[in-house]
Amino acid sequence: MAAPLYQKVIDRIVAQISSGELLPGSMLPSEMQIAAETGVSQGTARKSLMMLEQHGIVRREQGRGTFVTARTPDSSLFNFFRLRQPDGQMIRPELVSEVVTNRRALAAERKGLDGEPKNVYEIRRVRSLKGVPSVLETAVVSASRFVGLDQRAPLPNTLYVLYQQNYGCIILRADESISAVLADGESAAALNVGTGTPLLCVDRVAFDIMGRPVERRRSLCRTDSLAYQVSLT
Amino acid sequence: MAAPLYQKVIDRIVAQISSGELLPGSMLPSEMQIAAETGVSQGTARKSLMMLEQHGIVRREQGRGTFVTARTPDSSLFNFFRLRQPDGQMIRPELVSEVVTNRRALAAERKGLDGEPKNVYEIRRVRSLKGVPSVLETAVVSASRFVGLDQRAPLPNTLYVLYQQNYGCIILRADESISAVLADGESAAALNVGTGTPLLCVDRVAFDIMGRPVERRRSLCRTDSLAYQVSLT
DNA sequence: GAGTGGTCTAGACCACTTT
DNA sequence: AAGTGGTCTAGACCACTCC
């Protein structure tokens, strides 16, 4: 047996989602239907669906059905936005400025994004917490994959909702690398702090459902009112 | 049906591990034996074991058996030590100094540790990378739960191996909160940097197999040669 | 009431490890 | 060869949602 049957069923469903045949939020066939379509037993179809649920690709609800994961503003915030108040309280920072530019990709960006794009969109935004500018974030995506992104201003609070709804791109994983830096002139001005203030620097690579790197972003965060929180297991 | 049968089987096994009846590294009974002992079918025992594996409590190997997770230096490093070189390379920093003290618990420590200990051990260590002092870490544990810990110097590189082997305490989860700070006099001296150098400050609470907070620790990290890396899903 | 996922059973066969 | 986990099947009943 080369690959288990349940894996073939998983691959088939992922391909259907990736191709747009199954849209985010839509309902999948029932376990029995999938079993019939793919020629496996209901138990095997069930195992496939449970594994897809664990990977966050579908959501199952007893009595209702199985649905393709829809990236809502709430779930995006919950999954990928790790900044919290020092006491652990959730935060919803407002957007205060936004600049989208189309420019040539740097060598590192070209190599580090799927499709090796020649040009990229750079989205630079400042987020504010209770009126205090707190996060300066710069996201970069392929200009050929996200055509016309600069025409869509104002962009939503969470970009991943836009990627999903307008470009069929579902973000499921993000690798982050965090360091501490001192505010330079530009970031100090944007965040209204003195140069030399310590900031968290979060570098992220976001991956789509096929595991392709789709977005690179750097967030500079004031750390007096925010902390990066994560649970390791 | 109040609780599913597989959950009762899980609870039973966790209790056996927690009580020391099943030691880390030891082999569990086979699926069939567990099924017979608990009065469920083999399929249900199997489901329990697979869920325990997903929670990191046991490890399963085809043809060999199911084993209680043993916290080895390698696995501890891999799971909970998130500091990497900027290029993503794994790091194994050496210990260069170690001080263990027994003192009264601060109010926050008393509330934030299982058993509300009156006294705690404080373990203060400096880790070095290629001869450069890079991490200053201060761990705090209950003195009543870890009796005689100050007599065990030198402590192993990864404390969680000690907790497991000498105190039957298996660490399975750690919540971390990360901020950026400036080096003060003490940390600057320990890490051989100037005061005002930006440092990563990682505050951790570690939980045992029953979900009880067992250790609190703060790590101050030089960020020129190290970055905190994590994958979000 | 019909349809969905959630739990559970009792078997079968295969792949792997150890003796 | 014996024992282990890995895959798969074909049924059963229950709990929940929606019409």
Side-chain angles (χ1 to χ4, degrees):
Chain A
M1 195 179 305
L5 293 183
Y6 68 76
Q7 188 60 52
K8 296 180 181 175
V9 177
I10 288 174
D11 293 343
R12 183 173 182 272
I13 295 174
V14 168
Q16 288 174 337
I17 295 173
S18 186
S19 75
E21 191 175 340
L22 285 171
L23 293 174
S26 65
M27 183 175 157
L28 276 72
S30 70
E31 295 177 354
M32 286 303 297
Q33 280 178 280
I34 290 175
E37 289 173 12
T38 57
V40 303
S41 73
Q42 176 264 348
T44 300
R46 176 181 187 72
K47 175 160 187 168
S48 304
L49 291 172
M50 287 199 302
M51 294 185 75
L52 285 168
E53 182 178 38
Q54 283 190 324
H55 284 84
I57 295 173
V58 304
R59 168 181 40 89
R60 315 194 74 199
E61 293 179 31
Q62 179 170 158
R64 302 227 310 129
T66 303
F67 305 85
V68 180
T69 294
R71 192 57 66 192
T72 67
D74 274 353
S75 68
S76 279
L77 230 55
F78 188 75
N79 282 318
F80 293 124
F81 191 79
R82 306 307 313 173
L83 296 173
R84 302 284 185 272
Q85 289 180 7
D87 61 4
Q89 277 287 311
M90 188 69 183
I91 288 167
R92 188 180 285 270
E94 323 92 55
L95 278 175
V96 292
S97 78
E98 174 174 290
V99 180
V100 182
T101 56
N102 186 325
R103 61 168 171 80
R104 294 194 68 80
L106 305 177
E109 291 167 345
R110 187 164 176 182
K111 282 185 194 161
L113 287 174
D114 182 56
E116 302 202 354
K118 286 192 181 63
N119 287 279
V120 294
Y121 288 119
E122 175 183 290
I123 304 138
R124 174 167 294 229
R125 316 204 281 185
V126 176
R127 293 176 188 276
S128 190
L129 179 66
K130 291 175 187 158
V132 180
S134 300
V135 184
L136 168 61
E137 99 189 1
T138 308
V140 173
V141 297
S142 162
S144 49
R145 176 156 186 178
F146 294 90
V147 174
L149 186 125
D150 52 348
Q151 309 298 319
R152 296 183 180 276
L155 301 176
N157 198 317
T158 53
L159 287 175
Y160 297 164
V161 176
L162 173 79
Y163 297 167
Q164 176 183 287
Q165 293 182 347
N166 295 96
Y167 298 97
C169 172
I170 301 179
I171 300 295
L172 287 182
R173 181 168 71 92
D175 289 350
E176 302 202 314
S177 177
I178 305 161
S179 58
V181 299
L182 299 179
D184 61 9
E186 184 188 7
S187 52
L191 296 177
N192 194 27
V193 296
T195 57
T197 301
L199 300 176
L200 271 186
C201 173
V202 181
D203 282 312
R204 170 189 293 179
V205 183
F207 299 87
D208 71 2
I209 197 174
M210 303 299 284
R212 298 175 294 219
V214 166
E215 180 206 68
R216 304 181 75 86
R217 119 173 17 191
R218 166 167 292 187
S219 302
L220 293 171
C221 315
R222 283 181 64 166
T223 193
D224 47 356
S225 53
L226 290 171
Y228 185 101
Q229 302 201 351
V230 69
S231 190
L232 308 175
T233 54
Chain B
M1 195 177 306
L5 293 183
Y6 67 77
Q7 188 60 52
K8 295 180 182 175
V9 177
I10 288 174
D11 293 344
R12 182 173 183 272
I13 295 174
V14 168
Q16 288 173 336
I17 295 174
S18 186
S19 73
E21 191 175 340
L22 285 172
L23 293 174
S26 64
M27 184 174 158
L28 275 73
S30 70
E31 295 177 354
M32 285 304 298
Q33 279 178 281
I34 290 174
E37 289 173 13
T38 57
V40 304
S41 73
Q42 175 265 348
T44 300
R46 176 181 187 73
K47 175 160 186 167
S48 304
L49 290 172
M50 288 199 302
M51 294 186 75
L52 285 168
E53 182 179 38
Q54 284 189 323
H55 284 84
I57 295 173
V58 303
R59 166 180 43 88
R60 315 194 73 199
E61 294 179 30
Q62 179 171 154
R64 303 227 310 130
T66 303
F67 305 85
V68 180
T69 293
R71 190 60 65 194
T72 65
D74 274 353
S75 69
S76 277
L77 229 55
F78 188 76
N79 283 317
F80 294 124
F81 191 78
R82 306 307 313 172
L83 295 173
R84 302 284 185 272
Q85 290 179 5
D87 60 5
Q89 277 288 312
M90 187 70 183
I91 289 167
R92 188 181 285 269
E94 323 92 56
L95 278 175
V96 292
S97 78
E98 174 174 290
V99 179
V100 182
T101 56
N102 186 324
R103 61 169 173 80
R104 293 194 68 79
L106 305 177
E109 292 167 345
R110 186 164 179 182
K111 282 185 194 159
L113 287 174
D114 182 55
E116 302 202 355
K118 286 192 181 65
N119 287 280
V120 294
Y121 288 118
E122 176 183 291
I123 304 138
R124 175 168 295 228
R125 314 203 284 183
V126 176
R127 293 176 189 275
S128 190
L129 179 66
K130 292 175 186 159
V132 181
S134 299
V135 184
L136 168 62
E137 98 188 2
T138 307
V140 173
V141 297
S142 162
S144 49
R145 176 156 185 179
F146 294 89
V147 174
L149 186 126
D150 51 351
Q151 309 299 319
R152 296 183 181 276
L155 301 175
N157 198 318
T158 53
L159 285 176
Y160 297 165
V161 175
L162 173 79
Y163 297 168
Q164 175 183 287
Q165 293 183 347
N166 295 97
Y167 298 97
C169 172
I170 302 179
I171 300 295
L172 286 181
R173 181 169 70 92
D175 289 351
E176 301 202 314
S177 177
I178 304 161
S179 58
V181 300
L182 298 179
D184 61 9
E186 183 188 7
S187 51
L191 296 178
N192 193 27
V193 297
T195 58
T197 302
L199 301 176
L200 271 187
C201 173
V202 181
D203 282 310
R204 170 190 292 180
V205 183
F207 299 87
D208 71 3
I209 197 174
M210 303 298 283
R212 298 175 294 219
V214 165
E215 180 207 68
R216 303 181 76 86
R217 126 174 7 193
R218 166 168 292 188
S219 302
L220 294 172
C221 315
R222 284 180 63 165
T223 194
D224 46 358
S225 52
L226 291 170
Y228 184 100
Q229 302 201 351
V230 67
S231 189
L232 308 175
T233 54

